[in-house]
Each structure stands twice: as C-alpha cells, then as structure tokens.
Amino acid sequence: MSDEEDDLILSELPDEELVPQMHDDLYDGLKEEIEEGVNILLERGWEPYRILTEALVAGMTIVGRDFRDGILFVPEVLLAANAMKAGMAILKPLLAETGAPKMGKMVIGTVKGDIHDIGKNLVSMMMEGAGFEVVDLGINNPVEEYLEALEREQPDILGMSALLTTTMPYMKVVIDTMKEQGIRDDYIVLVGGAPLNEEFGQAIGADGYCRDAAVAVDMAKEFIQRRHNQRAVG
Ligand code: B12
C-alpha cells in the first residue's frame, strides 16, 4: 500500500490545510510541490505577497529554526532554499507587475564571505514590486564590487545583506571606504539580514536597518521622499 503522503492531491486541500502542507513540502525540499502549491493559491485568488509571506517565508522560518537546533543540515536546507526560490520565481513577475511609477534605483548585494541570498532576493523582488529599479550584484561581494556598481549605476540606495555574524562587520568596511572616498552621503545605505539589529545598523553608520522586505520598501520610500523634500528646499 502506498504511503498516505503520496496520495495527497494538493488542489483538493482547503487553504487551511494546503498552507501547512506547503510548509512541510518546503521543509522536505519538494520544489515541484511548492510550485504547484503557489499556482493553486494564485488560482484561488491569493495576493502574491500573501503567498510569499504566509506560505513561503513562514515555511522557511521553520527550516531556519530546525537548522539552528541541529535537526536539519546544510544539504537539506539547500533543497529547501531551492524549493523556496522556485516558488519565488513564480511570484516575482506578479509582484513586479503593480505598474507603480519609478521610485528610484537600488544596488543590492550580499557581502564578501557570505552566500545567503534568499532574503536579498526577496528584498529585490519587493522593491521592484514597489516601483524601484534594482541592480542585483549577487553574493560574496568585496568592497570593490560595491564601489564599481555605485559608480556605474548611480543608484539612490545601496543595500547590503549579511546572514552570518562573521560577515556582518564587512558592511562597515564598505561604509568606511565610502567615507574615505567622500561618497558616503551621496547614497542612502540600507542594511539587513537575520543577525543584524537597529543598534548594529547605527553603529556601522548605515542610514537604516530593515528587519524584513516590507520594512525595506517603506524605509526606502521614506528616505527617497525626504531626499526630494531636502532638494526642493535646498
Ligand atoms: C537557507 C540558509 C542557508 C542556505 C543558503 C541558501 C541561499 N541560497 O541563500 C545554505 C545551506 C547554503 C546555508 C549555508 C550556511 N549557513 Co545558513 N542559513 C540559512 C537559513 C536557514 C535561512 C536563511 C534565509 O534564507 N532566511 C529567509 C529569508 C527570507 O530571511 P532573511 O535572510 O533574514 O532576509 C530577510 C531580512 O533579514 C531582510 N534582509 C535580508 N537582507 C537584506 C538586505 C537589505 C538591504 C535589507 C534592507 C533587508 C534585508 O529582509 C529579508 C526578507 O524579509 C538561516 C537561518 C536563519 N534563521 O536565518 C541559516 C543561517 C544564517 N546559516 C548559518 C550558518 C552557520 C551557515 C553556514 C556557515 C553553515 C556551514 N556550516 O556551512 C553556511 C555559510 C556559507 C556562507 N559562507 O555563507 C547560521 C548563521 C549563524 C551565525 N551566527 O552567523 C544560521 C543563522 C543558522 C543557524 N542558526 O545556525 N545557509
């Protein structure tokens, strides 16, 4: 007899069972099931952002907890991350489709020594959805990479991501180098990543620390607005 799990037909589950099932599927790194679940919720009229937060990010939080507690290991977490990315790939164009007017430009990247990119990608997606143009530098960026991109892209905002306590101090290296070159105040610097906090953001001289992608969008809009007002006055 086949296992009950194998007989599950996702489309037959009501929302309140489908979402926890997606958390389980994410945990098990089942990419195709995650894609299917995302599509079902879309067909049922769920907003892309709701799917992202309630089905995907909430599922990843469970993965993160068990990774911390030594229940899951890197290979399993990688599979979960891949499943999460597959779900995000479906939502990305929908989140970006809001037709919002162009708000500004952001260069974003994960710092040197760090290969975590899910949170950064989420921030990019949400920023694009809110009308920002985003240039994504990917992972493991040394200071030179950031500086070159600032010069080349002339963005309003620089965003840096770090998920390791060993890599987060590198954000200060980037900001200090910007100061040395006299370009620090030309940009709004936003930082984020699970091990950071408000205090750390202030200590390294960032303009803002954002605990999640929604806060990042709000803060980016606020800073851009403030800049415009200052320029209008000055
Ligand atoms: C997935 C994951 C991995 C995956 C990464 C896959 C990928 N493509 O990203 C893999 C398996 C590769 C991995 C590897 C490692 N990992 Co890891 N990983 C995680 C995990 C479980 C989830 C991270 C995640 O994606 N979260 C979901 C996203 C949506 O959340 P987020 O990243 O926090 O992002 C949000 C906010 O922080 C914010 N944000 C993030 N970036 C930015 C940037 C800006 C500009 C703004 C404004 C906002 C913002 O907005 C985001 C969206 O809301 C965390 C656990 C955790 N609690 O974070 C551990 C964790 C970060 N990893 C950890 C470790 C130790 C490692 C390894 C060293 C393990 C090892 N022994 O090899 C390696 C490091 C490799 C390296 N050099 O980077 C530790 C770090 C501990 C520490 N004190 O530093 C954690 C905390 C797990 C733990 N508790 O032990 N990992």
Side-chain angles (χ1 to χ4, degrees):
M1 240 207 38
S2 69
D3 178 34
E4 203 184 315
E5 285 278 308
D6 293 337
D7 296 339
L8 262 184
I9 298 174
L10 292 180
S11 60
E12 288 179 355
L13 297 179
D15 292 1
E16 63 276 15
E17 287 175 31
L18 176 59
V19 172
Q21 181 59 45
M22 286 175 71
H23 295 167
D24 286 352
D25 289 345
L26 192 74
Y27 194 94
D28 293 335
L30 302 176
K31 181 169 167 258
E32 280 163 23
E33 281 76 357
I34 288 299
E35 288 171 336
E36 192 186 340
V38 167
N39 283 324
I40 293 169
L41 289 174
L42 283 172
E43 276 161 26
R44 291 184 189 173
W46 278 48
E47 291 293 331
Y49 181 65
R50 186 172 171 213
I51 302 175
L52 189 65
T53 49
E54 293 183 25
L56 301 183
V57 175
M60 204 62 201
T61 305
I62 304 169
V63 172
R65 198 187 56 209
D66 281 4
F67 187 32
R68 182 198 63 209
D69 295 343
I71 298 166
L72 286 180
F73 297 96
V74 170
E76 289 117 317
V77 179
L78 257 182
L79 282 177
N82 280 340
M84 168 112 183
K85 282 186 174 179
M88 282 164 62
I90 299 173
L91 297 174
K92 183 175 174 173
L94 304 172
L95 285 165
E97 213 173 57
T98 54
K102 278 281 162 274
M103 294 290 301
K105 189 171 182 181
M106 179 187 216
V107 159
I108 189 168
T110 303
V111 298
K112 186 175 162 184
D114 202 319
I115 63 165
H116 294 86
D117 67 356
I118 296 176
K120 167 187 69 61
N121 296 348
L122 209 57
V123 171
S124 301
M125 276 166 56
M126 295 284 297
M127 291 289 288
E128 281 176 356
F132 285 86
E133 182 185 350
V134 177
V135 179
D136 188 344
L137 305 179
I139 54 174
N140 196 19
N141 283 287
V143 60
E144 298 79 16
E145 209 73 51
Y146 285 110
L147 294 181
E148 263 173 46
L150 293 179
E151 174 76 29
R152 187 178 67 236
E153 306 290 345
Q154 297 293 318
D156 305 286
I157 305 171
L158 169 65
M160 289 188 280
S161 182
L163 266 289
L164 298 172
T165 43
T166 49
T167 56
M168 56 190 236
Y170 196 76
M171 293 174 165
K172 186 169 186 306
V173 173
V174 177
I175 294 175
D176 286 349
T177 312
M178 288 168 76
K179 282 184 190 157
E180 279 164 25
Q181 301 199 355
I183 58 166
R184 166 64 188 89
D185 293 336
D186 297 346
Y187 307 95
I188 298 158
V189 179
L190 299 182
V191 295
L196 278 64
N197 57 31
E198 186 83 45
E199 213 183 352
F200 176 79
Q202 278 178 12
I204 63 168
D207 292 301
Y209 153 76
C210 313
R211 75 167 180 276
D212 63 32
V215 172
V217 167
D218 288 345
M219 209 180 266
K221 283 184 180 166
E222 208 183 296
F223 274 110
I224 293 274
Q225 193 57 48
R226 230 186 274 173
R227 257 190 160 193
H228 285 187
N229 292 347
Q230 274 168 3
R231 283 183 184 161
V233 173

